[in-house]
Amino acid sequence: MSNMGVYAEFHSLASKLQAKFSKSGLAQMEVFTQRQIDHHLQSSSKETIPDAERTDFVSKLLEMHKAQPDKISLENVFMACLTNVGAGSDTTSISLSAILYYLIKSPDKYKKAGFLPIENLCNQKANRPKLRDEIDESYSSGEASRPMTYQQSQRLPYLQACIKEGLRLHPATGLPLARVVPKGGARICGRFFPEGTTVGVNAWVMNRNPTVFGPDADDFRPERWLESSERASEMDRHLMSFGLGSRTCIGKNISLMEIGIALPEIVSRFDFELLKPLEELKTENVWFVKQKNFACWVSLRQK
Ligand code: HEM
């Protein structure tokens, strides 16, 4: 699908060949999605968990279907679930992995030690607490429950800065986000583009723009988000990990919630060691930019 987005002239031929010879890709996702819906329909008819107690997406959508079957058809439920799986799974896991990867691999200390449990990372010059300290303190002071809620995680500035910085350095999508120049054309970066031209910016380029993010834009430095609120909102306005404008990601807040809840649990419970600490990170860009060699030893936290 990604290749066809780039080489659109081959789309018609490729989709015919795919339909005849291959049941991979979207077809697999459709089978998976239908299985989840069928499973819910069957288990809710057995009344194992009362419908009102279910809090997952499929149950909520099926509830909406039950309440207004003429407005929300089973096909609508299927499409919404398919979008969640297709647009929300790899993107969120890639982003969470990116944040963890950069937390584990702090460049200055990493070279000396070769191994870094997560608590040694993000050692700031200023007197802000390290990530693990911040999380531990929020548990011990009773400010956060375990696992913490999304609202509680939003009150941890260093955690939020680490999330933003990971999302910035490794946006989950790696092709230009296309837009069509409207009527009358547009002047962009000093060049005129006639109406109808497809233009786009890749988040990997935008997110490392030194004019916006500073001369050290290639470095993982969560502190940049905490230095001045003016600068932080300027960077926020340009952060393109979820796209920008009217077609911005509709699942952004769901993912930020998932990451905001999962990351404190992971960081406070486990130590990490890269399997091949000297190896550069390898990625594969098939619209989603997947990490290929981010393998770790994971152990229960020592102290
Ligand atoms: C960390 C996780 C995610 C990342 C990095 C991400 C990234 C993106 C990006 C870059 C776009 C294109 C935006 C643009 O063109 O300006 C997009 C669109 C979209 N995303 Fe996400 N996404 C994530 C999670 C999700 C989730 C969880 C869902 C669904 C539950 C979702 C559903 C969508 C949909 C439906 C669109 C198309 C919106 C439109 O064209 O109007 N995404 N996402």
Side-chain angles (χ1 to χ4, degrees):
M1 284 161 79
S2 162
N3 286 334
M4 287 309 102
V6 178
Y7 305 106
E9 57 275 29
F10 298 117
H11 184 205
S12 158
L13 175 67
S15 63
K16 279 183 200 133
L17 290 173
Q18 165 114 18
K20 212 170 164 56
F21 297 114
S22 162
K23 280 272 166 274
S24 62
L26 195 58
Q28 268 185 11
M29 244 156 47
E30 286 170 352
V31 169
F32 173 80
T33 304
Q34 192 56 56
R35 212 182 293 140
Q36 302 310 309
I37 295 174
D38 291 346
H39 174 76
H40 271 68
L41 286 171
Q42 280 160 16
S43 62
S44 71
S45 69
K46 283 187 210 141
E47 295 286 334
T48 38
I49 305 174
D51 280 1
E53 282 175 31
R54 286 186 176 273
T55 53
D56 55 84
F57 250 108
V58 185
S59 314
K60 297 250 173 246
L61 288 164
L62 285 172
E63 245 171 59
M64 288 160 74
H65 163 68
K66 253 195 233 164
Q68 292 180 298
D70 44 329
K71 277 203 177 149
I72 298 160
S73 65
L74 270 180
E75 200 187 331
N76 295 147
V77 172
F78 175 77
M79 283 315 290
C81 292
L82 187 68
T83 311
N84 277 18
V85 175
S89 316
D90 281 344
T91 45
T92 308
S93 70
I94 287 169
S95 304
L96 192 50
S97 298
I99 299 161
L100 272 174
Y101 176 80
Y102 284 110
L103 282 170
I104 295 165
K105 196 170 169 154
S106 167
D108 46 338
K109 291 201 158 195
Y110 157 73
K111 272 184 200 130
K112 243 195 262 162
F115 159 67
L116 277 179
I118 215 159
E119 66 183 332
N120 286 344
L121 304 174
C122 312
N123 213 348
Q124 307 101 71
K125 285 172 208 120
N127 43 7
R128 291 183 199 284
K130 295 176 193 176
L131 180 57
R132 219 180 218 177
D133 294 342
E134 187 182 68
I135 294 166
D136 284 351
E137 269 167 40
S138 75
Y139 291 143
S140 58
S141 66
E143 277 167 39
S145 53
R146 231 181 150 155
M148 64 176 72
T149 64
Y150 181 42
Q151 283 79 2
Q152 289 164 348
S153 84
Q154 281 175 306
R155 284 184 222 124
L156 304 187
Y158 199 70
L159 171 72
Q160 292 305 321
C162 290
I163 293 174
K164 281 206 174 136
E165 192 67 347
L167 286 167
R168 184 183 72 81
L169 279 182
H170 191 126
T173 63
L175 290 175
L177 302 178
R179 300 293 190 267
V180 179
V181 173
K183 224 169 175 218
R187 184 163 289 282
I188 305 169
C189 297
R191 187 170 157 191
F192 182 76
F193 293 87
E195 68 187 57
T197 315
T198 303
V199 293
V201 183
N202 190 326
W204 282 73
V205 176
M206 180 69 135
N207 284 4
R208 288 172 187 239
N209 182 348
T211 321
V212 178
F213 298 98
D216 60 351
D218 285 337
D219 298 344
F220 181 78
R221 198 174 66 80
E223 294 74 18
R224 79 178 76 243
W225 295 94
L226 304 168
E227 284 158 358
S228 114
S229 55
E230 269 166 31
R231 195 153 170 247
S233 60
E234 168 80 357
M235 291 191 295
D236 246 338
R237 273 207 307 283
H238 291 85
L239 192 68
M240 239 175 75
S241 313
F242 291 100
L244 286 172
S246 57
R247 302 308 296 261
T248 201
C249 174
I250 55 165
K252 176 177 173 178
N253 291 323
I254 299 171
S255 286
L256 288 177
M257 179 183 71
E258 288 175 339
I259 294 171
I261 292 172
L263 192 63
E265 275 302 299
I266 295 171
V267 167
S268 62
R269 281 178 194 270
F270 302 105
D271 285 332
F272 293 85
E273 187 183 354
L274 285 170
L275 207 62
K276 294 186 178 165
L278 297 176
E279 221 174 67
E280 284 295 306
L281 182 68
K282 291 194 186 92
T283 55
E284 184 186 25
N285 183 358
V286 279
W287 168 231
F288 292 166
V289 186
K290 285 194 176 188
Q291 295 90 344
K292 301 301 284 180
N293 61 341
F294 177 26
C296 289
W297 295 109
V298 183
S299 52
L300 280 176
R301 180 179 172 178
Q302 294 297 308
K303 54 184 164 84

